[in-house]
Amino acid sequence: MPRVACAFWLSVSGQGEIRTVPVPEPRDDEVLVRTVCSGVSRGTETLVFRGGVPESQHTVMRAPFQEGDFPAPVKYGYLNVGVVEQGPSALLGRTVFCLYPHQTHYVVPASAVTPVPDSVPASRAVLAGTVETAVNALWDAAPLVGDRIAVVGAGMVGCSVAAVLARFPGVRVQLVDADPARAATAKALGVDFALPQDALGDCDLVVHASASEQGLARSLELLAPEGTVIELSWYGDRQISLPLGEAFHSRRLVVRSSQVGAVSPARRARRTFADRLALALDLLADPAFDALITGESAFEDLPRVMPRLASGDLPALCHRIRYTPADG
Protein backbone atom coordinates (compact mmCIF):
# COMPACT_ATOMS: atom_id res chain seq x y z
CA MET A 1 0.00 0.00 0.00
CA PRO A 2 1.35 3.46 -0.86
CA ARG A 3 2.28 5.47 2.21
CA VAL A 4 2.39 8.74 0.29
CA ALA A 5 0.51 10.18 -2.65
CA CYS A 6 0.93 13.13 -4.99
CA ALA A 7 -1.67 15.91 -4.95
CA PHE A 8 -2.22 19.11 -6.91
CA TRP A 9 -2.29 22.23 -4.73
CA LEU A 10 -2.99 25.85 -5.58
CA SER A 11 0.05 27.39 -3.91
CA VAL A 12 -0.80 31.04 -4.63
CA SER A 13 -3.52 32.52 -6.81
CA GLY A 14 -2.73 31.61 -10.41
CA GLN A 15 0.01 29.11 -9.60
CA GLY A 16 -0.18 25.40 -8.71
CA GLU A 17 2.24 22.66 -7.76
CA ILE A 18 2.41 18.91 -7.14
CA ARG A 19 2.96 18.07 -3.46
CA THR A 20 3.68 14.80 -1.69
CA VAL A 21 1.04 14.06 0.95
CA PRO A 22 0.70 11.21 3.49
CA VAL A 23 -1.87 8.46 2.94
CA PRO A 24 -3.25 7.00 6.18
CA GLU A 25 -4.11 3.35 6.75
CA PRO A 26 -7.85 3.01 6.08
CA ARG A 27 -10.10 2.04 8.97
CA ASP A 28 -12.78 -0.63 8.65
CA ASP A 29 -15.35 1.89 7.41
CA GLU A 30 -12.98 3.57 4.94
CA VAL A 31 -11.60 2.87 1.46
CA LEU A 32 -8.25 3.42 -0.17
CA VAL A 33 -8.79 4.62 -3.74
CA ARG A 34 -6.25 4.74 -6.57
CA THR A 35 -7.23 7.52 -8.95
CA VAL A 36 -7.70 6.56 -12.59
CA CYS A 37 -8.77 9.95 -13.90
CA SER A 38 -10.10 13.27 -12.65
CA GLY A 39 -11.76 16.21 -14.32
CA VAL A 40 -11.19 19.96 -14.24
CA SER A 41 -14.43 21.92 -14.02
CA ARG A 42 -13.40 24.92 -16.11
CA GLY A 43 -15.96 27.24 -14.51
CA THR A 44 -15.76 26.97 -10.73
CA GLU A 45 -12.34 25.36 -10.54
CA THR A 46 -10.57 27.92 -12.69
CA LEU A 47 -12.32 30.70 -10.76
CA VAL A 48 -10.79 29.21 -7.60
CA PHE A 49 -7.43 28.99 -9.37
CA ARG A 50 -7.36 32.70 -10.16
CA GLY A 51 -8.39 33.61 -6.59
CA GLY A 52 -11.91 34.74 -7.49
CA VAL A 53 -13.84 33.31 -4.51
CA PRO A 54 -15.21 36.27 -2.49
CA GLU A 55 -14.39 36.21 1.21
CA SER A 56 -18.08 35.98 2.10
CA GLN A 57 -18.28 32.64 0.25
CA HIS A 58 -15.13 30.98 1.59
CA THR A 59 -17.11 28.62 3.82
CA VAL A 60 -19.97 27.97 1.38
CA MET A 61 -17.61 27.13 -1.47
CA ARG A 62 -15.54 24.54 0.37
CA ALA A 63 -15.36 21.24 -1.51
CA PRO A 64 -16.11 18.05 0.49
CA PHE A 65 -12.45 16.99 0.86
CA GLN A 66 -10.77 20.34 0.41
CA GLU A 67 -7.62 21.02 2.39
CA GLY A 68 -6.38 24.54 3.12
CA ASP A 69 -8.39 27.71 2.80
CA PHE A 70 -9.25 30.20 0.08
CA PRO A 71 -7.64 31.95 -1.60
CA ALA A 72 -4.50 29.78 -1.14
CA PRO A 73 -2.77 27.49 -0.44
CA VAL A 74 -5.63 25.10 -1.07
CA LYS A 75 -6.23 21.60 -2.48
CA TYR A 76 -9.45 21.87 -4.44
CA GLY A 77 -11.42 19.71 -6.87
CA TYR A 78 -14.42 17.41 -6.99
CA LEU A 79 -14.40 15.17 -10.10
CA ASN A 80 -12.45 12.02 -9.28
CA VAL A 81 -12.80 8.43 -10.52
CA GLY A 82 -10.69 5.62 -9.13
CA VAL A 83 -10.49 1.98 -8.12
CA VAL A 84 -10.93 0.79 -4.54
CA GLU A 85 -7.72 -1.01 -3.56
CA GLN A 86 -8.54 -1.54 0.11
CA GLY A 87 -11.85 -1.46 1.94
CA PRO A 88 -15.12 -3.35 2.50
CA SER A 89 -15.52 -6.44 0.32
CA ALA A 90 -18.56 -4.99 -1.47
CA LEU A 91 -16.40 -2.16 -2.84
CA LEU A 92 -13.02 -3.88 -3.25
CA GLY A 93 -11.91 -3.63 -6.87
CA ARG A 94 -14.87 -1.45 -7.86
CA THR A 95 -14.55 1.68 -9.96
CA VAL A 96 -16.01 4.55 -7.95
CA PHE A 97 -16.73 8.27 -8.23
CA CYS A 98 -15.80 10.62 -5.40
CA LEU A 99 -15.96 14.38 -4.85
CA TYR A 100 -12.22 14.46 -4.25
CA PRO A 101 -9.43 16.77 -5.53
CA HIS A 102 -6.67 15.81 -7.98
CA GLN A 103 -4.59 13.24 -6.08
CA THR A 104 -3.06 9.89 -7.00
CA HIS A 105 -4.33 7.93 -3.96
CA TYR A 106 -6.61 8.87 -1.06
CA VAL A 107 -8.55 7.48 1.88
CA VAL A 108 -12.17 8.50 2.50
CA PRO A 109 -15.20 7.03 4.29
CA ALA A 110 -16.77 4.21 2.27
CA SER A 111 -19.99 6.23 2.25
CA ALA A 112 -18.23 9.01 0.28
CA VAL A 113 -17.75 6.91 -2.86
CA THR A 114 -20.40 5.89 -5.39
CA PRO A 115 -19.89 2.79 -7.53
CA VAL A 116 -19.77 3.52 -11.25
CA PRO A 117 -22.24 1.36 -13.21
CA ASP A 118 -20.69 -1.20 -15.53
CA SER A 119 -22.36 0.61 -18.44
CA VAL A 120 -20.32 3.80 -17.77
CA PRO A 121 -16.58 3.90 -18.59
CA ALA A 122 -14.35 5.52 -15.98
CA SER A 123 -13.23 8.06 -18.57
CA ARG A 124 -16.80 9.38 -18.84
CA ALA A 125 -17.69 9.03 -15.16
CA VAL A 126 -15.59 12.13 -14.36
CA LEU A 127 -18.62 14.10 -15.59
CA ALA A 128 -20.81 12.79 -12.75
CA GLY A 129 -20.44 15.87 -10.55
CA THR A 130 -21.46 18.20 -13.37
CA VAL A 131 -24.37 16.04 -14.53
CA GLU A 132 -25.45 15.97 -10.88
CA THR A 133 -25.61 19.79 -11.03
CA ALA A 134 -27.77 19.50 -14.15
CA VAL A 135 -30.10 17.02 -12.45
CA ASN A 136 -30.54 19.35 -9.47
CA ALA A 137 -31.23 22.32 -11.76
CA LEU A 138 -33.93 20.39 -13.58
CA TRP A 139 -35.44 19.26 -10.29
CA ASP A 140 -35.65 22.99 -9.48
CA ALA A 141 -36.99 23.90 -12.93
CA ALA A 142 -39.50 21.01 -13.19
CA PRO A 143 -39.97 21.27 -16.99
CA LEU A 144 -43.24 19.99 -18.43
CA VAL A 145 -44.05 18.03 -21.57
CA GLY A 146 -44.30 20.48 -24.45
CA ASP A 147 -42.24 23.23 -22.81
CA ARG A 148 -40.16 25.58 -24.96
CA ILE A 149 -36.73 25.72 -23.35
CA ALA A 150 -33.46 27.52 -24.00
CA VAL A 151 -30.15 26.77 -22.32
CA VAL A 152 -28.00 29.89 -22.53
CA GLY A 153 -24.29 29.16 -22.16
CA ALA A 154 -22.74 26.07 -23.73
CA GLY A 155 -20.10 25.46 -21.10
CA MET A 156 -19.76 22.24 -19.14
CA VAL A 157 -22.86 22.83 -16.99
CA GLY A 158 -25.04 24.24 -19.75
CA CYS A 159 -24.20 21.37 -22.07
CA SER A 160 -24.97 18.86 -19.32
CA VAL A 161 -28.39 20.45 -18.80
CA ALA A 162 -29.06 20.38 -22.54
CA ALA A 163 -27.97 16.75 -22.78
CA VAL A 164 -30.42 15.71 -20.07
CA LEU A 165 -33.22 17.82 -21.57
CA ALA A 166 -32.66 16.17 -24.95
CA ARG A 167 -34.19 13.04 -23.43
CA PHE A 168 -37.38 14.82 -22.24
CA PRO A 169 -40.48 14.02 -24.32
CA GLY A 170 -42.12 16.70 -26.42
CA VAL A 171 -39.93 19.66 -25.43
CA ARG A 172 -38.29 22.21 -27.71
CA VAL A 173 -34.68 22.57 -26.55
CA GLN A 174 -32.17 25.02 -27.96
CA LEU A 175 -28.59 25.46 -26.77
CA VAL A 176 -27.53 29.10 -27.09
CA ASP A 177 -23.94 30.35 -27.12
CA ALA A 178 -21.89 33.16 -28.64
CA ASP A 179 -19.28 30.67 -29.89
CA PRO A 180 -20.43 29.12 -33.20
CA ALA A 181 -18.04 26.21 -32.61
CA ARG A 182 -20.45 24.98 -29.91
CA ALA A 183 -22.88 23.99 -32.69
CA ALA A 184 -20.94 20.75 -33.16
CA THR A 185 -21.28 19.96 -29.44
CA ALA A 186 -25.02 20.65 -29.56
CA LYS A 187 -25.38 18.31 -32.54
CA ALA A 188 -23.52 15.55 -30.70
CA LEU A 189 -25.85 16.01 -27.72
CA GLY A 190 -28.96 15.86 -29.91
CA VAL A 191 -30.20 19.44 -29.44
CA ASP A 192 -30.58 22.48 -31.69
CA PHE A 193 -28.07 25.33 -31.51
CA ALA A 194 -28.39 29.08 -31.99
CA LEU A 195 -26.26 32.17 -31.59
CA PRO A 196 -27.78 34.60 -29.05
CA GLN A 197 -29.27 36.91 -31.69
CA ASP A 198 -30.89 33.97 -33.50
CA ALA A 199 -32.34 32.13 -30.49
CA LEU A 200 -36.02 31.23 -30.45
CA GLY A 201 -38.09 33.22 -27.98
CA ASP A 202 -41.42 32.67 -26.24
CA CYS A 203 -39.73 30.24 -23.86
CA ASP A 204 -41.48 28.79 -20.84
CA LEU A 205 -38.10 28.14 -19.25
CA VAL A 206 -34.56 29.38 -19.76
CA VAL A 207 -31.61 27.81 -17.95
CA HIS A 208 -28.79 30.35 -17.77
CA ALA A 209 -25.22 29.08 -17.45
CA SER A 210 -23.04 31.55 -19.36
CA ALA A 211 -21.74 33.39 -16.24
CA SER A 212 -22.16 36.71 -18.09
CA GLU A 213 -24.55 39.58 -17.59
CA GLN A 214 -25.16 39.65 -21.36
CA GLY A 215 -26.27 36.02 -21.21
CA LEU A 216 -28.59 36.68 -18.29
CA ALA A 217 -30.13 39.71 -20.00
CA ARG A 218 -30.69 37.65 -23.17
CA SER A 219 -32.25 34.88 -21.08
CA LEU A 220 -34.89 37.32 -19.81
CA GLU A 221 -35.56 38.49 -23.36
CA LEU A 222 -36.23 34.93 -24.50
CA LEU A 223 -38.96 34.29 -21.93
CA ALA A 224 -42.67 34.15 -22.62
CA PRO A 225 -44.89 36.05 -20.15
CA GLU A 226 -44.68 34.44 -16.68
CA GLY A 227 -41.66 32.42 -17.79
CA THR A 228 -38.75 31.49 -15.51
CA VAL A 229 -34.98 31.79 -15.71
CA ILE A 230 -33.10 29.21 -13.65
CA GLU A 231 -29.77 30.85 -12.82
CA LEU A 232 -26.94 28.32 -12.67
CA SER A 233 -24.04 30.73 -13.20
CA TRP A 234 -21.78 31.60 -10.32
CA TYR A 235 -20.03 34.95 -10.70
CA GLY A 236 -17.57 34.74 -7.84
CA ASP A 237 -16.30 38.20 -6.97
CA ARG A 238 -17.73 39.90 -10.09
CA GLN A 239 -20.59 42.41 -9.93
CA ILE A 240 -23.22 42.15 -12.68
CA SER A 241 -26.13 44.32 -13.80
CA LEU A 242 -29.59 42.91 -14.47
CA PRO A 243 -32.25 44.76 -16.54
CA LEU A 244 -35.29 44.68 -14.26
CA GLY A 245 -36.97 47.72 -15.81
CA GLU A 246 -39.00 47.84 -19.02
CA ALA A 247 -41.35 44.83 -19.20
CA PHE A 248 -39.84 42.69 -16.42
CA HIS A 249 -42.68 43.34 -13.99
CA SER A 250 -45.56 43.61 -16.47
CA ARG A 251 -44.60 40.25 -17.97
CA ARG A 252 -44.29 38.74 -14.47
CA LEU A 253 -40.92 37.13 -15.16
CA VAL A 254 -39.10 35.02 -12.57
CA VAL A 255 -35.38 34.55 -11.87
CA ARG A 256 -34.57 31.61 -9.57
CA SER A 257 -31.17 30.44 -8.40
CA SER A 258 -30.15 26.79 -8.36
CA GLN A 259 -27.11 25.51 -6.50
CA VAL A 260 -25.90 21.94 -6.20
CA GLY A 261 -24.81 22.38 -2.56
CA ALA A 262 -28.35 21.44 -1.47
CA VAL A 263 -30.82 18.96 -2.92
CA SER A 264 -33.64 20.80 -4.69
CA PRO A 265 -36.47 21.63 -2.24
CA ALA A 266 -38.86 20.02 -4.73
CA ARG A 267 -37.18 16.65 -4.10
CA ARG A 268 -35.66 17.06 -0.64
CA ALA A 269 -38.33 15.05 1.19
CA ARG A 270 -37.79 11.99 -1.02
CA ARG A 271 -34.26 12.21 -2.46
CA THR A 272 -30.79 12.36 -0.93
CA PHE A 273 -27.41 13.51 -2.21
CA ALA A 274 -26.61 9.83 -2.84
CA ASP A 275 -29.79 9.38 -4.91
CA ARG A 276 -28.93 12.42 -7.00
CA LEU A 277 -25.37 11.30 -7.74
CA ALA A 278 -26.45 7.75 -8.53
CA LEU A 279 -28.98 9.13 -11.03
CA ALA A 280 -26.29 11.26 -12.65
CA LEU A 281 -24.06 8.20 -13.08
CA ASP A 282 -26.94 6.23 -14.60
CA LEU A 283 -27.53 9.00 -17.15
CA LEU A 284 -23.86 8.83 -18.16
CA ALA A 285 -24.47 5.45 -19.80
CA ASP A 286 -25.31 7.56 -22.87
CA PRO A 287 -22.14 7.96 -24.99
CA ALA A 288 -23.38 11.35 -26.22
CA PHE A 289 -21.88 12.81 -23.04
CA ASP A 290 -18.40 12.09 -24.40
CA ALA A 291 -18.78 15.33 -26.38
CA LEU A 292 -18.29 17.24 -23.11
CA ILE A 293 -14.73 15.93 -22.65
CA THR A 294 -12.68 18.14 -24.90
CA GLY A 295 -9.10 17.51 -23.82
CA GLU A 296 -6.81 15.40 -21.68
CA SER A 297 -3.50 15.87 -19.90
CA ALA A 298 -1.26 13.86 -17.62
CA PHE A 299 -1.52 14.52 -13.88
CA GLU A 300 2.08 15.68 -13.66
CA ASP A 301 1.33 18.41 -16.22
CA LEU A 302 -1.41 20.04 -14.12
CA PRO A 303 0.78 22.93 -12.87
CA ARG A 304 1.29 23.95 -16.51
CA VAL A 305 -2.23 23.10 -17.73
CA MET A 306 -4.31 24.92 -15.09
CA PRO A 307 -3.07 28.45 -15.95
CA ARG A 308 -3.91 27.81 -19.61
CA LEU A 309 -7.40 26.59 -18.71
CA ALA A 310 -7.98 29.54 -16.40
CA SER A 311 -6.89 32.09 -19.03
CA GLY A 312 -8.82 30.44 -21.86
CA ASP A 313 -5.61 29.80 -23.80
CA LEU A 314 -6.60 26.11 -23.64
CA PRO A 315 -10.32 26.02 -24.54
CA ALA A 316 -12.25 23.27 -22.80
CA LEU A 317 -15.55 22.03 -21.47
CA CYS A 318 -14.32 19.24 -19.20
CA HIS A 319 -10.56 18.69 -19.30
CA ARG A 320 -9.71 15.17 -18.18
CA ILE A 321 -6.61 14.34 -16.15
CA ARG A 322 -5.15 10.87 -16.56
CA TYR A 323 -3.11 9.01 -13.94
CA THR A 324 -0.73 6.11 -14.47
CA PRO A 325 -0.38 3.19 -12.03
CA ALA A 326 3.11 4.44 -11.20
CA ASP A 327 1.81 7.83 -10.00
CA GLY A 328 2.29 8.33 -6.26
Side-chain angles (χ1 to χ4, degrees), residues 9-13 44-45 47-64 66-78 234:
W9 279 72
L10 174 62
S11 48
V12 296
S13 295
T44 301
E45 201 167 341
L47 188 147
V48 169
F49 185 77
R50 69 171 178 82
V53 180
E55 188 173 352
S56 64
Q57 298 299 299
H58 282 189
T59 300
V60 174
M61 283 300 298
R62 288 191 69 87
Q66 174 180 322
E67 292 184 36
D69 297 303
F70 299 122
V74 65
K75 184 176 76 174
Y76 189 86
Y78 47 83
W234 193 64

Side-chain angles (χ1 to χ4, degrees), residues 37 79-82 95-98 116-117 120-130 277 280-281 284 290 293 320:
C37 53
L79 301 174
N80 190 298
V81 177
T95 299
V96 295
F97 177 86
C98 186
V116 175
V120 180
S123 58
R124 192 186 305 147
V126 293
L127 296 168
T130 307
L277 183 55
L281 281 163
L284 284 168
D290 285 335
I293 300 172
R320 188 169 56 212

Side-chain angles (χ1 to χ4, degrees), residues 152 176 196-199 213-223:
V152 176
V176 181
Q197 64 270 23
D198 300 325
E213 63 180 54
Q214 296 90 344
L216 182 52
R218 185 60 178 142
S219 296
L220 288 170
E221 292 171 352
L222 294 175
L223 286 177

Side-chain angles (χ1 to χ4, degrees), residues 134 138 141-144 147 149-151 158-174 189-191 205-207 289:
L138 294 174
L144 300 174
D147 271 358
I149 304 172
V151 180
C159 285
S160 294
V161 172
V164 177
L165 281 171
R167 285 124 192 94
F168 273 60
V171 299
R172 184 192 82 189
V173 183
Q174 193 168 56
L189 297 176
V191 297
L205 170 68
V206 176
V207 179
F289 283 97

Side-chain angles (χ1 to χ4, degrees), residues 33-39 79-85 94-96 103-106 121-123 126 296-297 299 320-325 327:
V33 179
R34 172 179 57 81
T35 302
V36 174
C37 53
S38 60
L79 301 174
N80 190 298
V81 177
V83 175
V84 175
E85 294 195 328
R94 293 292 304 271
T95 299
V96 295
Q103 184 166 313
T104 56
H105 299 80
Y106 56 91
S123 58
V126 293
E296 184 177 82
S297 299
F299 168 73
R320 188 169 56 212
I321 306 302
R322 66 178 183 272
Y323 297 69
T324 65
D327 284 337

Side-chain angles (χ1 to χ4, degrees), residues 223-234:
L223 286 177
E226 301 192 354
T228 298
V229 170
I230 297 294
E231 177 58 280
L232 273 177
S233 301
W234 193 64

